């Protein structure tokens, strides 16, 4: 029990209370993970609870792994006690559904596939293609977002017809029809998307009352991290398991101990369905709840916390909470006004270089609002020769070669998975092209069967061209061998077969010999070797092939974070839960941050301010704020307006790094640096006036401007972080922007907007 001495009074009160519902309002850097891990250890060690009676959930695999490691350390290295189930909401629901989904009676089996966002988009594109609709008009990502929002509210297509928030217009009627088609295709493929994992689990527990009671009896201690990020379905899941007021509990049943830890000031996922009211109205859902507030911060300097408190104070929907610390005051916040976005990136990288000269192991984060902003900082780091890591870019498990090999194993696990079959039927090329796939899809539609059954029927009845039959038979035999390997062999043996005996690795080696840039194929081979290593580690953990594939599907951007990276580029959303000695918050401009979509909605604006608060509180010792007076929009330089959030900062805690000669002015307490930005706020109206003025035709502009060679002319070789090296084969110039068509070996032709797409020239 000596570990309880590590806790401050508020943390200790939260750990020791186990008599009912508990809400812990934990400010940034106040030790919320410590509270959860110490409470798990306390319940096991002092109360003697069985590990199977404890359920702890969080939002990322990395956070769950950290919890498990901390609990194991607290209990002692020699402890033989088993640990409780600690994982993510989606992981818990997947595990529940693997055991009981057939009880739903909707035609699903326990071998269902889990479709991640890329799989969902491929399926939506298939639905659009079947209807003859143009995906450039009805964007698959927008459709996916609408479907996800509906499911996060617990709504099926039939519910939307009477939903007051879904007034049917012709466009919405079409989206609703696509939603119905999407659901039918998911069910036919025996597949669930991410939102289904939560939705089906809730429906299952609602429907099967005895099963609900069984799990409620099992999980006597439920702990939830990052509670402010929960949505309606996650709340209902907790109500069902913890016997809250709206649960399926019998009358008079006593609530289990539920401890939720969160911070309403860090609620930044409204666009994903997170509901701030889950925190604000916790006592309504769980009467007689105790509330403990953690305000002492162990992470940041007094200066950083003073700025964070000053910002978040402008929000109205929040319980009062003021962070404080016994840490040192620390230096003032540095702010820099750049003339251009390119100069902003150069300034940031130069400051990073100076910090690393003083401390080669200094860890730095550059935080921006949107992923598109990363390009300039990537390029500046490369020019300076500084190593960096991007989070929220292209995840390991989302790389083409990894997804291809996973699709083989997924199809072997679930032959109804049409999207996996479509993906690898002719990968690597085996003479089964689009025409054959179209014939199989037509046959599957005719006989109302999955593609796999249609393929086997076509082989039996010889409905394919003779030259294709042999390749199709070999493909079917290969999948059957994979299925046998899953049942009888190890995970590593299964993936080794999927990589080598499919011909995938051989095709990459051939590409290495023939390609002008063999390094790309070599990198892909190295990625496959890393996948094999991950499979070996899964064998060592005692996982099944299905559990391993599920885990790869449930990986989030935050799981890509490398704590050993010296320079990390990431969005502010991805930075939540992390901390860095030195932080740069860049692009503090109206329309960018706060985002243009949020400027007219008070609730959205408050969430943007919470996001700023999250970004500020990532910093431990030093924080920089920057913005650019001009930034390219659609390839054209455009004047910007400083973010309104800058007006909310205490001027006496800021240091102007733009004009070093004026630094001494900051000793004058009457100096207001915000006044220096007023011309930019006034320029907002001038910019609107200019926007209303008639545009000058392109031909007339070109007559008065010098000839400039395009940055990416036809024939130029360019590099893209996702598709590798390609060649510009066409340019289309309009009044608004320039569109490039780039041909990538292995990825086909792709369109990009010049000045926005993350392309760089290859000499």
């Amino acid at each position: 029990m000596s570990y309880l001495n590590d806790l401050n009074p508020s943390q200790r009160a939260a750990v020791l209370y186990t008599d009912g519902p508990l809400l812990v309002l934990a400010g940034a850097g106040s030790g919320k993970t410590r509270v959860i891990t110490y409470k798990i250890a306390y319940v096991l060690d002092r109360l003697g609870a069985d590990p199977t009676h404890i359920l702890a959930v969080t939002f990322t695999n990395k956070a769950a792994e950290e919890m498990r490691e901390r609990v194991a350390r607290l209990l002692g290295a020699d402890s033989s006690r088993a640990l409780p189930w600690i994982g993510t909401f989606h992981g818990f629901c997947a595990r529940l559904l693997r055991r009981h989904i057939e009880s739903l009676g909707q035609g699903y089996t326990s071998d269902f596939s889990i479709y991640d966002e890329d799989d969902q988009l491929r399926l939506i594109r298939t639905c659009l293609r079947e209807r003859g609709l143009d995906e450039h008009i009805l964007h698959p990502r927008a459709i996916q977002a609408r479907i996800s929002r509906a499911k996060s509210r617990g709504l099926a297509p039939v519910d939307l017809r009477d939903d007051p928030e879904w007034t049917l217009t012709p466009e919405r009627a079409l989206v609703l029809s696509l939603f119905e088609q999407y659901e039918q295709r998911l069910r036919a493929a025996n597949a669930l998307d991410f939102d289904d994992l939560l939705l089906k689990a809730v429906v299952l527990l609602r429907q099967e009352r005895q099963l609900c009671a069984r799990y409620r009896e099992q999980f006597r201690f439920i702990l939830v991290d990052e509670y402010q990020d929960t949505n309606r379905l996650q709340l209902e899941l907790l109500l069902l398991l913890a016997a809250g007021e709206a649960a399926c509990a019998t009358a008079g049943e006593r609530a289990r101990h539920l401890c939720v830890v969160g911070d309403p000031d860090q609620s930044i996922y409204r666009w994903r369905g997170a509901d701030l009211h889950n925190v604000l109205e916790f006592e309504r859902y769980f009467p007689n709840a105790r509330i403990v507030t953690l305000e002492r911060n162990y992470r940041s300097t007094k200066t950083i916390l003073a700025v964070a408190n000053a910002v978040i104070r402008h929000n109205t929907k929040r319980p009062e909470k003021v962070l404080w610390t016994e840490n040192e005051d620390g230096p003032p916040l540095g702010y820099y006004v750049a003339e251009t976005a390119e100069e902003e990136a150069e300034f940031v990288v130069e400051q990073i270089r100076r910090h690393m000269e003083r401390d080669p192991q200094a860890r730095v984060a550059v935080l921006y609002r949107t992923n598109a902003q990363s390009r300039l900082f990537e390029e500046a780091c490369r020019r300076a020769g500084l190593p960096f890591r991007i989070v929220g870019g292209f995840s390991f498990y989302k790389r083409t070669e990894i997804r291809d090999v996973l699709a083989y194993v997924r199809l072997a696990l679930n032959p109804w998975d049409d999207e996996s079959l479509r993906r690898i039927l002719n990968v690597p090329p085996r003479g089964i092209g689009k025409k054959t796939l179209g014939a199989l899809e037509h046959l599957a539609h005719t006989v109302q069967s999955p593609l796999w059954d249609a393929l086997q029927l076509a082989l039996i009845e010889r409905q394919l061209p003779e030259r294709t039959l042999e390749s199709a038979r070999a493909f079917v035999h290969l999948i059957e061998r994979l299925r046998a390997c899953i049942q009888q062999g190890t995970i590593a043996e299964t993936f080794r077969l999927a990589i080598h005996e499919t011909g995938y690795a051989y095709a990459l080696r051939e590409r290495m010999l023939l390609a002008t840039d063999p390094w790309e194929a070599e990198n892909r081979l190295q990625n496959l070797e890393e996948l094999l290593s991950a499979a070996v580690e899964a064998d060592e953990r005692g996982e099944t092939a299905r559990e391993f594939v599920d885990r790869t599907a449930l990986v989030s951007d935050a799981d890509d974070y490398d704590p050993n990276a010296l320079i990390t580029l990431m969005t502010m959303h991805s930075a939540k839960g992390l901390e860095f000695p030195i932080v740069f918050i860049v692009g503090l401009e109206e329309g960018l941050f706060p985002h243009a979509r949020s400027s007219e909605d008070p609730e959205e604006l408050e969430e943007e301010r919470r996001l700023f608060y999250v970004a500020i509180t990532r910093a431990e010792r030093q924080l920089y704020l920057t913005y650019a007076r001009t930034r390219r929009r659609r390839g054209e330089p455009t004047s910007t307006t400083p973010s309104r959030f800058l007006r909310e900062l205490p001027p006496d805690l800021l240091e102007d790094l733009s004009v070093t000669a004026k630094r001494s002015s900051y000793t004058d307490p009457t100096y207001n640096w915000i006044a220096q930005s007023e011309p930019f706020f006034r320029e907002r109206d001038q910019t609107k006036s200019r926007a209303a003025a008639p545009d000058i035709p392109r031909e007339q502009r070109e007559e008065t401007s010098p000839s400039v060679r395009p940055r990416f002319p036809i024939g130029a070789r360019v590099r893209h972080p996702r598709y590798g090296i390609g060649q510009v084969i066409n340019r289309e110039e309009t009044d608004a922007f320039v569109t490039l068509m780039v041909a990538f070996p292995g990825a086909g032709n792709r369109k990009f907007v010049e000045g926005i797409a993350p392309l760089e020239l290859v000499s």
Side-chain angles (χ1 to χ4, degrees), residues 571-623:
T571 65
M572 300 176 201
H573 284 98
S574 297
K576 188 167 167 294
L578 304 177
E579 56 189 41
F580 305 87
I582 304 164
V583 170
F584 292 81
I585 303 176
V586 301
L588 282 161
E589 301 145 25
E590 287 290 308
L592 193 56
F593 190 49
H595 198 278
R597 292 192 301 266
S598 310
S599 57
E600 303 303 325
D601 184 332
E603 289 193 3
E604 293 282 354
L605 188 59
E606 288 213 349
E607 175 143 325
E608 290 287 287
R609 186 176 286 108
R610 291 195 294 269
L611 184 58
F612 189 32
Y613 172 82
V614 166
I616 291 170
T617 53
R618 297 314 92 196
E620 296 174 347
R621 298 197 312 262
Q622 199 144 9
L623 178 63

Side-chain angles (χ1 to χ4, degrees), residues 396-397 401-402 405-406 409 482 485 490-501 504-505 509 523-541 543 548 551-552:
F396 176 80
Y397 288 108
E401 62 276 10
I402 303 300
V405 172
L406 283 169
V409 180
L482 272 171
C485 190
T490 65
I491 303 174
E493 289 168 346
T494 300
F495 276 87
R496 193 171 288 111
L497 191 156
I499 290 170
H500 295 288
E501 298 197 34
Y504 201 99
R509 291 192 186 95
N523 283 344
R524 291 189 174 191
L525 280 171
Q526 291 174 352
N527 288 337
L528 294 180
E529 291 175 4
E530 185 63 26
L531 179 61
L532 270 180
S533 298
V536 170
E537 292 170 4
D539 280 322
E540 293 172 349
R541 288 192 297 268
E543 293 182 1
F548 177 68
R551 193 159 52 80
T552 65

Side-chain angles (χ1 to χ4, degrees), residues 59 61 88 90-91 94 98 112-120 192-195 197 395-398 402-403 406-407 410 413 417 420 495 531 543 545-557 559:
F59 278 82
N61 293 308
T88 65
H90 290 87
R98 288 275 175 226
F112 63 83
S113 296
I114 299 174
Y115 278 10
D116 63 13
E117 185 175 318
D118 287 345
D119 297 317
Q120 294 170 47
L192 304 179
D193 62 24
F194 275 5
D195 296 301
L197 294 175
S395 168
F396 176 80
Y397 288 108
K398 289 184 171 61
I402 303 300
R403 293 183 67 84
L406 283 169
R410 280 173 40 168
L413 287 164
D417 189 344
S420 289
F495 276 87
L531 179 61
E543 293 182 1
R546 167 56 70 194
E547 288 170 338
F548 177 68
V549 171
D550 282 356
R551 193 159 52 80
T552 65
L554 297 175
V555 167
S556 67
D557 288 343
D559 293 318

Side-chain angles (χ1 to χ4, degrees), residues 276-340:
L276 181 60
H277 292 89
N278 291 357
V279 179
L280 300 180
E281 301 179 15
F282 183 79
E283 292 173 282
R284 179 167 74 87
Y285 297 117
F286 298 95
N288 303 315
R290 176 171 293 189
I291 298 177
V292 175
T293 303
L294 307 182
E295 295 178 298
R296 180 179 177 182
N297 177 283
Y298 292 89
R299 175 188 301 157
S300 306
T301 64
K302 288 185 174 70
T303 297
I304 291 171
L305 293 186
V307 170
N309 287 327
V311 167
I312 202 62
R313 197 173 290 124
H314 287 77
N315 274 7
T316 57
K317 293 186 176 180
R318 59 182 296 266
E320 182 59 30
K321 180 168 72 329
V322 179
L323 293 180
W324 62 274
T325 186
E326 293 183 356
N327 295 340
E328 61 183 9
D329 290 342
L333 275 63
Y335 80 92
Y336 182 80
V337 183
E339 292 300 322
T340 65

Side-chain angles (χ1 to χ4, degrees), residues 42-112:
Y42 172 75
V43 167
L44 289 170
D45 189 32
R46 181 64 180 269
L47 301 187
D50 189 305
T52 61
H53 292 166
I54 301 173
L55 171 65
V57 287
T58 184
F59 278 82
T60 68
N61 293 308
K62 190 178 289 292
E65 182 61 32
E66 182 184 352
M67 273 192 205
R68 280 190 288 269
E69 292 175 355
R70 288 196 188 187
V71 172
R73 285 199 300 270
L74 287 173
L75 294 176
D78 298 329
S79 175
S80 59
R81 188 194 298 270
L83 294 180
W85 196 92
I86 302 174
T88 65
F89 273 103
H90 290 87
F92 169 75
C93 291
R95 190 173 176 179
L96 179 72
L97 293 170
R98 288 275 175 226
R99 297 177 180 177
H100 307 290
I101 195 169
E102 293 173 13
S103 299
L104 275 175
Q106 297 179 1
Y108 289 100
T109 72
S110 60
D111 288 330
F112 63 83

